[in-house]
Amino acid sequence: MMLSMMISGPKQPRNDIDVYLNPLIEDLKLLWNEGVDVFDAFKNESFRLHAMLFCTNNDFPAYGNLSGYSVKGHRACSICQDKTSYEQLKHGRKIVYLGHRRFLKKYHPYRRLKKAFNGYQEHLSGVEIYEKNKKC
């Protein structure tokens, strides 16, 4: 089963998304904890169905809304958290997030590019990053 919901535009609920999600959350809790009796027409028998939400697909602002994680400011990367690599632009108030080339494959050509990025090469491996963040 796939549940699809899109709330967009100028009248989107913003931080009041819980008003829309609360009925879904209650149903998911019921399906996970107790399950519901359903009928299998092929086998001609009833059974208890348990279900869970497997994944969501959303843009970054919606991710922040759904998870409650701040997707703005100096610690906006939910993977890097306190180790988020950022830089404030010199002639503006914008923050740019650097250091994400380290998630590329070990010999990806972008890892060695200094001039196109921030003047640094990134050499951390995905395994090293995983080890640093797995206790979180």
Side-chain angles (χ1 to χ4, degrees):
M1 174 179 86
M2 181 186 287
L3 172 69
S4 180
M5 177 171 50
M6 182 180 287
I7 304 170
S8 63
K11 296 185 187 254
Q12 67 175 321
R14 302 210 191 292
N15 290 333
D16 295 328
I17 189 96
D18 58 331
V19 172
Y20 289 91
L21 295 180
N22 199 34
L24 173 64
I25 291 168
E26 293 303 317
D27 287 345
L28 287 170
K29 284 180 180 178
L30 172 72
L31 285 168
W32 180 255
N33 295 325
E34 300 171 31
V36 293
D37 290 326
V38 295
F39 182 75
D40 183 343
F42 182 76
K43 290 185 176 179
N44 200 25
E45 63 186 28
S46 293
F47 68 96
R48 175 129 338 226
L49 173 74
H50 292 267
M52 62 181 255
L53 179 63
F54 180 66
C55 67
T56 64
N57 187 3
N58 40 266
D59 62 8
F60 209 56
Y63 166 73
N65 244 349
L66 292 172
S67 68
Y69 190 84
S70 174
V71 293
K72 298 175 185 164
H74 296 171
R75 306 288 180 242
C77 180
S78 60
I79 296 168
C80 301
Q81 297 173 348
D82 290 338
K83 295 172 182 63
T84 299
S85 179
Y86 66 90
E87 195 171 309
Q88 189 148 357
L89 296 178
K90 292 176 185 174
H91 302 292
R93 297 183 317 181
K94 296 260 183 197
I95 297 172
V96 293
Y97 303 101
L98 308 165
H100 288 89
R101 289 177 288 152
R102 63 184 177 229
F103 295 109
L104 296 171
K105 291 181 181 179
K106 188 172 185 177
Y107 296 106
H108 195 284
Y110 282 3
R111 279 188 179 240
R112 293 186 304 276
L113 292 179
K114 290 181 181 182
K115 191 173 181 183
F117 293 96
N118 58 345
Y120 299 102
Q121 289 183 355
E122 294 184 9
H123 295 290
L124 282 177
S125 71
V127 174
E128 290 171 304
I129 294 163
Y130 173 76
E131 291 299 322
K132 286 182 179 183
N133 288 310
K134 79 177 181 182
K135 29 187 162 161
C136 297

